[in-house]
Amino acid sequence: MTYKYFGAPDRATAARVPTALGPDGLGLDAGELGSLGRLGDLMETSGSPTGHLSTKIKPETMSAMVLTGIKGVPLHQVPPLELVVLHPDYAVVQLPQTVVEPLRNADETELGAAAFIWSTVPDRRGPRDAFVIYTMLHEWQDFANRLHEAGHQLYCLVWP
């Protein structure tokens, strides 16, 4: 599975992103996203050459990292993602504001603590993973802040 995080001003616009990309466009390279015209503009954020973040991290895991690591929410109380589109070839989900706001507002100590907590999960390798996770959380935070400043919400396109 591949996860492409992107911003859109509303759910209706976010739902059109996979359609605008077309069946062969879900794997678009960074430079190609800008060729989508107005929809491409909606996906662009200042400072980001691609207008999206692609990763192998599930949005459910991202939500859990933020809420358990930054807010101390027990894992079983992490809210579900908000489904925008379910299609046989892809899905679009919205990350709830209860996840995005703590991420946007976290300070260095909170990001570091969240990274350390998630680096202690049994399949992780300790401090090296803590630094990688810390860097990733920082990227997500910067991305979420740029989206917020543009009046956009955070979504994730999921496809095999």
Side-chain angles (χ1 to χ4, degrees), residues 7-39:
D10 54 53
R11 293 169 65 92
T13 304
R16 291 192 305 270
V17 167
T19 305
L21 294 176
D24 298 322
L26 294 180
L28 280 176
D29 290 332
E32 297 177 70
L33 284 172
S35 67
L36 296 175
R38 176 71 183 124
L39 195 52

Side-chain angles (χ1 to χ4, degrees), residues 85-102:
V85 174
L86 181 59
H87 184 276
D89 298 325
Y90 60 85
V92 175
V93 294
Q94 181 179 3
L95 282 88
Q97 287 302 310
T98 56
V99 172
V100 177
E101 286 306 309

Side-chain angles (χ1 to χ4, degrees), residues 57-96:
I57 306 292
K58 295 178 185 179
E60 297 89 343
T61 303
M62 185 237 195
S63 293
M65 276 187 202
V66 169
L67 291 180
T68 63
I70 294 173
K71 297 304 287 180
V73 172
L75 192 56
H76 70 278
Q77 291 182 355
V78 172
L81 301 173
E82 300 171 18
L83 183 64
V84 176
V85 174
L86 181 59
H87 184 276
D89 298 325
Y90 60 85
V92 175
V93 294
Q94 181 179 3
L95 282 88

Side-chain angles (χ1 to χ4, degrees), residues 2-149:
T2 303
Y3 308 95
K4 186 175 289 191
Y5 294 86
F6 68 95
D10 54 53
R11 293 169 65 92
T13 304
R16 291 192 305 270
V17 167
T19 305
L21 294 176
D24 298 322
L26 294 180
L28 280 176
D29 290 332
E32 297 177 70
L33 284 172
S35 67
L36 296 175
R38 176 71 183 124
L39 195 52
D41 292 342
L42 294 174
M43 293 174 66
E44 291 292 335
T45 57
S46 62
S48 172
T50 63
H52 70 276
L53 292 175
S54 291
T55 180
K56 297 290 185 184
I57 306 292
K58 295 178 185 179
E60 297 89 343
T61 303
M62 185 237 195
S63 293
M65 276 187 202
V66 169
L67 291 180
T68 63
I70 294 173
K71 297 304 287 180
V73 172
L75 192 56
H76 70 278
Q77 291 182 355
V78 172
L81 301 173
E82 300 171 18
L83 183 64
V84 176
V85 174
L86 181 59
H87 184 276
D89 298 325
Y90 60 85
V92 175
V93 294
Q94 181 179 3
L95 282 88
Q97 287 302 310
T98 56
V99 172
V100 177
E101 286 306 309
L103 174 63
R104 286 187 50 248
N105 297 317
D107 62 22
E108 294 296 316
T109 302
E110 292 169 319
L111 292 177
F116 177 75
I117 289 167
W118 279 87
S119 73
T120 62
V121 172
D123 66 339
R124 300 289 169 204
R125 298 179 307 225
R128 180 181 308 160
D129 278 353
F131 182 75
V132 170
I133 293 168
Y134 172 78
T135 303
M136 179 184 62
L137 287 171
H138 242 294
E139 283 183 39
W140 276 337
Q141 183 182 53
D142 292 344
F143 188 63
N145 281 326
R146 288 192 311 268
L147 293 177
H148 178 76
E149 289 167 9

